Each structure stands twice: as structure tokens, then as C-alpha cells.
Amino acid sequence: MRNQLISNPSYPIVEIFQSLQGEGFNTGMSSIFVRFGKCNLACPWCDTNYEQFEMMSLQQILEKVRSFSAKNIIITGGEPSIQPKLSLLLEQLKAEGYFLAIETNGLKEIPAQIDYIATSPKAMYAQKYSRRCIPIANEVRIVVDADAKQFCQQIEQQIQAEHYYLSPCEIDGKMNLLETIQLLGALNQRKDKPKWQLSIQTHKLIGIE
């Protein structure tokens, strides 16, 4: 029984579904989303109820993933990097030929099996990031939940990325687009600094999951 548990561990899963990536550099990419429960942060504007999940075994997750047609998988949450034995699942998915992307807050180490890292550092936890965060990612997305200019400049120094994005913060269905594009303009007026782009959750605008 013990060996069986080791080879077929269980994970907290909020949902698994196929849709289009709605934000960031890979917007429009057909993907299977594996959304984990639990998180090591508690952002008040988070749009995922990561405390409501069911435990699914590795084999159950694989069977669900195989029922979809996409070959790209986005590991998301909650915060997927805090999951014990995550590498076991990723190794299985990798062996079956899937392209693996992760959406992470960037405070924990990213498993080696991941092909694409999208990290969303949180300005309200700036002190945590000043102590430790991942050093490199494919893209950075920062939600503008406050005066985030100083934090954006901090993250530029800490995380080397190919793309940097600002996203408006949505609370009760309203997005602070004006504040977001004002910050975008301020950041991009600087010389010899990374250029930031706007990333909006387009999947919400068009009404898909």
C-alpha cells in the first residue's frame, strides 16, 4: 500500500479543463489548465477559490488530461509550486509529450520539467520578494493593485524575463484600467529599461473559462 501511495500520490485539484490562454504572451494558445488548490499568499482580489478542491490521484489527473485534445498544459492555482510531489506528475506529463507551462507567484523554486514560466509577483507582498524569489522567467505579470511603480522596478532587478506585463486589478467586476495604463506609460518613459506591455484577461471579456 505504501509503494502504491508513493507512485500514485494525490493532489488538491480545483478544476481541470481545456480552453484558450487568455493573458500574457501566449494569449490564444489552446491549453489544458490544471488548477491546484492551496496558496502561500492571500491576495484579497484573487479570482480563484483555491480552498475549495478535491483530492485527485496522479492517475485520475492523467486520465482527465488525456480526455482533452490540446498538447499544452498550464499548471496553475492557487500556487502550484508549493505542491508536494509535483515533479512526479510533471514527469508523467512530460513523458507523454505535453508542453508544460506554469503560472506562479514566483516565491518558490520551479520544477525542472517546466518549459515556460509565467510569474505574477504580488506588490502587496513586496517584502517577501525582496528576500527571495525566482531569478528568471519567460514572462512577468504584475497586477496593479496599488501604487506599484517601485515594485515593478524592484522586480526588473530581481527577475530576468523576456516579457514584462501589467494587468489591471479587478474588484467586483471593475478594472482599474486608467491607473494601469498610467503606470505603463510612466515605466516606458524611462530610458534603457525593460519595456512593459498591457495584459488583460481576455477570456473574461469574451466569456470563456
Side-chain angles (χ1 to χ4, degrees), residues 144-158:
V144 183
D145 60 352
D147 183 1
K149 184 177 181 180
Q150 183 176 348
F151 183 65
C152 289
Q153 294 176 106
Q154 171 189 329
I155 292 300
E156 286 175 346
Q157 299 298 315
Q158 291 183 270

Side-chain angles (χ1 to χ4, degrees), residues 24-25 116 137-141 160-165 195-197:
F25 183 75
Y116 191 94
N138 296 95
E139 67 181 77
V140 168
R141 301 184 212 140
Q160 179 183 350
E162 300 162 24
H163 310 281
Y164 293 87
Y165 293 97
K195 293 299 182 182
W196 291 72
Q197 301 174 73

Side-chain angles (χ1 to χ4, degrees), residues 70-113:
K71 296 301 289 184
N72 305 302
I73 294 179
I74 296 176
I75 305 295
T76 186
E79 177 49 50
S81 69
I82 65 173
Q83 304 300 330
K85 300 182 176 62
L86 178 61
S87 288
L88 287 178
L89 173 61
L90 298 180
E91 286 171 5
Q92 291 286 334
L93 294 171
K94 199 72 175 173
E96 297 191 18
Y98 289 99
F99 177 87
L100 301 180
I102 192 170
E103 295 182 333
T104 174
N105 59 38
L107 288 173
K108 298 289 186 181
E109 185 176 351
I110 305 302
Q113 298 86 353

